[in-house]
Amino acid sequence: DEFISSPPRKTVRFGGTLTEILLKYEKGDTTDFELLKHQLSDPDIKDAQLINWLHEFRASVAYLTKELEQLVNILLKLPWLRRSREVVEEYLGFLGNLVSAQTVHLRPCLRMIVSKFVPPRITIREDDVDISDSDDDDENVSQNFNTCHRALQTVARYVPSTPQFLMPILVEFFPFINKSERTLECYVHNLLRVTVYLPTLRLQILELIIEKLLKLDVSTPQQDIEDAEETANNCASEEKSAEEGLFDMEEDEDRKGNQVVSASIERMAHPLAERLDILMTILFSYIKDVCHVDGKLDISSTKDLYRDLVSVFDKLILPTHASCHVQYFMFYICSFKLGLAEAFLDHLWKKLQDPNNPSVIRQTAGSYIGSFLARAKFIPIVTVKACLDLLVNWLHKYIDNQDTGANAYCDVALHGPFYSTCQAVFYTLIFRHKQLLDGNLRKGLSYLQSLNFERIVMCQLNPLKICIPSVVNLFAAITRKYQLVFCYTIIERNNRQFIPVVRSGTGGDLVQTCTNPLDSFFPFDPYILKRSKKTIDPMYQFWEELSAEDLENLKKPIKKGASEDEDDDFLKGETPQNDGVIEIAPNSYESNTRSPVSSIGSPADCYVPYPL
């Protein structure tokens, strides 16, 4: 404010004062005006000269009308950020005077500020070809960004309508996803900083960022990321074995080398995955910072941010098929307080049961419910039971309405939400059955029996035929173990009806029917981005390995009244092949219950043998 209100220093300049030069220009005398432009464009202009010019321009903003747009553009291109503090303060004062007196220049001013939200570029010439990259070595980048935000706040203070003009510019200047990680990181970080002092833009900025993250996410299928990591690990192992024993490095160098190796271990081998990882880390940090004040959860701020994120989730995430990582921003914020997780489940439940929603949205909502209940450690078993009660009761009502009508037959197009809900229930039981039975086995079994899975499995709609085979297999093993329902008769009948289809358009090739007719996926499958997964892992339920003893126990149906010592763990995708029980190869469950790109989200071989 001091600089803005302080009077400009009087200066003597060749050709007269700025006011005189501008008045001459209006009368058609352009000689001094051209000299002025030349002096301002001089890359070697000194700080003292710049300060003097800016002083005069601040006092003459009334003359800087639309007709002098060319001169204003030269002023906006001045290299003011890397100058002394005096130049920076004088320039901020000039910007404030300019936009308050001549709002016609508001957009160019905003464009100039936003263009500096990324590190400055340096140009390297090789064989007469310009190769540009971010100037990451500039120690003042962080300070420059702070100054840019001061400039934007100054403009917003003088022009209240700044947010509506700013948002399209933020969209326009968002870097392409193939730009350097540093460029993307800085731009997203600065966008999120804008939401702190221009809160009316927060929803739109979050939408913009998450939309870009989503494009990155769907461009990098999980299989591609895993393949890139495997290739990189193999190359690293070969290099290590080749160099082993060749150098006897000193202790200091060794320690330094270890730090470099540690940093490289955190890098993702896939370039787009690396960008996504960095940006997801920033988003998680932002969510945490907004929701916590002095290390304590601020309920009001958290609720406001939750509402914005749910809005973005509905608009962008829910209609997007098979994104792998971006949706975890909802997983993360829900971990802060049980009430948020329950609100999210309730939100999904309303989407699922509302017949006015498109079928695909209802099915996706079902997938989210099942995956969230299964994978979120912070959801207590009492909430899981409440959700299972809701879902199963809805299934029974659906069967009541459909099982004897004209549409009482197996058809995904007609009953998609029903099958998606069945799969959510089966998937939740696979992950949570131990907790449901923990403490009091008899009481737990009584609860599971009350859900009446037999009626759901035996109904005319035949959900076991539609759900992903790996889910069906594990559900069948668990329900057989606890004598809840015997699924194998139906599975075997469905397999007999599984007739290969001949595709005439390709010379009579034999192709199998899609084993994932729902085209379903589990949105909270394992998170594999190295940096940001550190935020998710502590609250995430992983697929657990089965011991040999667990595998043996799985073969034996539990006897009524048995003690809870016979504890099982079905959280691996493997059950014994002997005695006719189904088998899923180790780790195939995780990879085959995802559908990152294609419609095939299940094991390639859908034939399931049944117990004799």
Side-chain angles (χ1 to χ4, degrees):
D1 290 340
E2 267 182 46
F3 280 96
I4 291 169
S5 58
S6 62
R9 292 199 300 265
K10 291 184 178 179
T11 55
V12 179
R13 196 175 309 285
F14 177 76
T17 64
L18 177 64
T19 305
E20 291 170 353
I21 293 172
L22 296 179
L23 288 173
K24 283 183 185 178
Y25 177 75
E26 285 181 7
K27 294 175 182 177
D29 184 355
T30 62
T31 307
D32 290 345
F33 184 77
E34 292 300 324
L35 179 63
L36 169 65
K37 289 199 301 181
H38 177 73
Q39 288 183 18
L40 289 172
S41 302
D42 182 4
D44 298 322
I45 189 170
K46 305 296 183 200
D47 282 6
Q49 289 177 292
L50 203 51
I51 290 171
N52 288 340
W53 277 123
L54 290 171
H55 266 307
E56 291 198 44
F57 273 108
R58 280 176 55 188
S60 307
V61 288
Y63 296 98
L64 299 179
T65 57
K66 177 73 173 170
E67 286 70 31
L68 292 176
E69 186 178 13
Q70 188 181 12
L71 178 60
V72 172
N73 286 338
I74 292 173
L75 289 167
L76 293 179
K77 288 176 183 175
L78 287 172
W80 61 282
L81 267 180
R82 297 189 173 205
R83 298 280 179 163
S84 65
R85 180 179 176 276
E86 289 76 15
V87 173
V88 168
E89 297 295 342
E90 194 62 46
Y91 196 86
L92 292 178
F94 162 69
L95 278 182
N97 285 14
L98 179 65
V99 295
S100 58
Q102 304 284 352
T103 51
V104 69
H105 300 304
L106 176 63
R107 276 196 185 92
C109 287
L110 293 175
R111 290 173 65 86
M112 180 273 294
I113 295 170
V114 173
S115 71
K116 300 183 185 302
F117 276 4
V118 295
R121 314 285 290 184
I122 54 172
T123 303
I124 305 168
R125 290 186 68 82
E126 284 185 11
D127 300 327
D128 297 326
V129 177
D130 286 351
I131 303 170
S132 294
D133 197 8
S134 296
D135 187 3
D136 290 344
D137 297 328
D138 187 354
E139 296 174 0
N140 298 317
V141 164
S142 181
Q143 185 181 336
N144 291 346
F145 290 155
N146 291 340
T147 308
C148 285
H149 288 288
R150 280 188 60 203
L152 193 51
Q153 286 172 275
T154 300
V155 171
R157 187 165 66 244
Y158 284 104
V159 186
S161 60
T162 294
Q164 71 186 68
F165 292 97
L166 176 62
M167 196 60 221
I169 294 169
L170 295 178
V171 174
E172 178 190 345
F173 276 83
F174 203 106
F176 293 115
I177 59 173
N178 61 347
K179 293 292 183 184
S180 72
E181 295 98 341
R182 178 71 172 151
T183 297
L184 285 163
E185 177 184 10
C186 290
Y187 194 79
V188 169
H189 186 269
N190 284 315
L191 283 190
L192 291 172
R193 281 187 66 177
V194 171
T195 67
V196 176
Y197 54 85
L198 294 178
T200 55
L201 286 182
R202 183 167 75 179
L203 177 58
Q204 294 175 69
I205 286 175
L206 286 172
E207 270 185 26
L208 170 62
I209 292 171
I210 289 169
E211 181 186 9
K212 301 296 182 180
L213 290 179
L214 208 49
K215 286 179 180 176
L216 269 174
D217 201 4
V218 297
S219 302
T220 51
Q222 220 152 350
Q223 192 58 53
D224 289 4
I225 297 174
E226 289 169 352
D227 291 347
E229 287 299 318
E230 186 178 352
T231 303
N233 289 338
N234 291 340
C235 291
S237 299
E238 289 171 11
E239 286 176 13
K240 186 177 179 183
S241 60
E243 293 177 5
E244 207 168 62
L246 292 180
F247 300 99
D248 185 17
M249 303 175 77
E250 292 187 9
E251 195 174 330
D252 289 347
E253 293 177 352
D254 194 32
R255 192 180 299 117
K256 193 183 292 183
N258 287 339
Q259 290 171 356
V260 173
V261 169
S262 175
S264 66
I265 286 172
E266 283 203 339
R267 280 190 69 85
M268 301 295 299
H270 195 296
L272 293 184
E274 171 69 7
R275 289 164 174 75
L276 182 61
D277 193 12
I278 291 169
L279 299 184
M280 287 300 294
T281 303
I282 293 172
L283 183 59
F284 288 153
S285 298
Y286 172 78
I287 292 171
K288 183 180 179 181
D289 290 345
V290 169
C291 295
H292 292 81
V293 178
D294 298 327
K296 293 181 180 178
L297 187 69
D298 183 276
I299 302 299
S300 177
S301 301
T302 304
K303 283 182 178 177
D304 289 343
L305 181 59
Y306 169 82
R307 290 188 194 100
D308 284 347
L309 290 177
V310 165
S311 176
V312 177
F313 176 84
D314 285 349
K315 184 175 180 180
L316 298 176
I317 304 294
L318 207 53
T320 303
H321 179 69
S323 58
C324 299
H325 299 99
V326 181
Q327 59 266 24
Y328 269 89
F329 68 79
M330 285 307 305
F331 192 96
Y332 183 51
I333 194 171
C334 287
S335 71
F336 294 161
K337 193 170 180 62
L338 178 58
L340 296 176
E342 291 176 341
F344 184 50
L345 286 165
D346 183 60
H347 180 76
L348 293 168
W349 163 241
K350 287 172 181 172
K351 293 274 183 192
L352 171 62
Q353 65 170 347
D354 185 358
N356 295 317
N357 284 327
S359 180
V360 66
I361 296 295
R362 297 174 69 190
Q363 288 172 219
T364 307
S367 296
Y368 270 93
I369 291 173
S371 197
F372 193 56
L373 289 173
R375 296 292 194 172
K377 275 185 181 178
F378 49 83
I379 296 180
I381 200 64
V382 64
T383 303
V384 174
K385 288 174 75 171
C387 290
L388 282 176
D389 288 338
L390 271 177
L391 296 170
V392 170
N393 286 338
W394 184 83
L395 290 174
H396 285 301
K397 285 178 184 175
Y398 193 95
I399 293 169
D400 289 339
N401 294 333
Q402 301 286 342
D403 216 18
T404 55
N407 294 329
Y409 55 90
C410 185
D411 189 331
V412 176
L414 286 175
H415 309 295
F418 171 81
Y419 295 123
S420 182
T421 306
C422 286
Q423 188 158 274
V425 169
F426 299 164
Y427 191 68
T428 303
L429 184 71
I430 289 167
F431 273 85
R432 295 283 196 159
H433 71 279
K434 284 181 68 178
Q435 290 171 278
L436 288 166
L437 297 169
D438 194 27
N440 188 327
L441 184 60
R442 185 172 296 177
K443 189 176 178 182
L445 283 174
S446 176
Y447 169 73
L448 290 177
Q449 287 164 357
S450 73
L451 297 177
N452 197 1
F453 287 127
E454 186 171 8
R455 181 170 185 250
I456 295 170
V457 166
M458 301 287 184
C459 74
Q460 293 295 313
L461 303 181
N462 194 0
L464 297 185
K465 185 175 183 180
I466 299 299
C467 295
I468 291 176
S470 48
V471 174
V472 171
N473 292 340
L474 288 167
F475 175 74
I478 292 166
T479 51
R480 173 176 177 261
K481 167 77 175 177
Y482 295 105
Q483 297 186 356
L484 298 170
V485 57
F486 191 78
C487 300
Y488 293 103
T489 307
I490 298 168
I491 292 173
E492 192 269 340
R493 185 185 69 208
N494 289 338
N495 288 332
R496 282 204 303 268
Q497 295 170 356
F498 181 79
I499 303 171
V501 177
V502 174
R503 185 169 55 197
S504 58
T506 55
D509 290 344
L510 191 68
V511 293
Q512 290 186 322
T513 307
C514 173
T515 55
N516 182 13
L518 268 177
D519 199 17
S520 56
F521 71 109
F522 296 104
F524 296 118
D525 262 352
Y527 192 98
I528 61 172
L529 302 178
K530 293 179 183 177
R531 291 181 191 84
S532 46
K533 81 191 294 284
K534 293 174 185 175
T535 303
I536 299 300
D537 282 0
M539 60 195 70
Y540 187 78
Q541 177 61 60
F542 287 94
W543 192 252
E544 297 175 1
E545 299 292 329
L546 287 176
S547 66
E549 186 180 351
D550 290 330
L551 291 173
E552 196 62 34
N553 286 337
L554 186 58
K555 300 178 189 177
K556 308 170 188 173
I558 195 166
K559 295 177 183 176
K560 291 187 179 178
S563 72
E564 53 190 292
D565 292 338
E566 295 190 49
D567 212 2
D568 304 300
D569 186 344
F570 298 87
L571 300 184
K572 182 182 176 187
E574 178 174 329
T575 53
Q577 191 173 12
N578 300 331
D579 296 341
V581 182
I582 51 90
E583 185 210 9
I584 301 172
N587 298 325
S588 68
Y589 185 78
E590 293 295 7
S591 59
N592 288 319
T593 55
R594 295 192 291 265
S595 179
V597 269
S598 69
S599 63
I600 309 298
S602 55
D605 180 9
C606 70
Y607 176 74
V608 183
Y610 68 102
L612 299 171

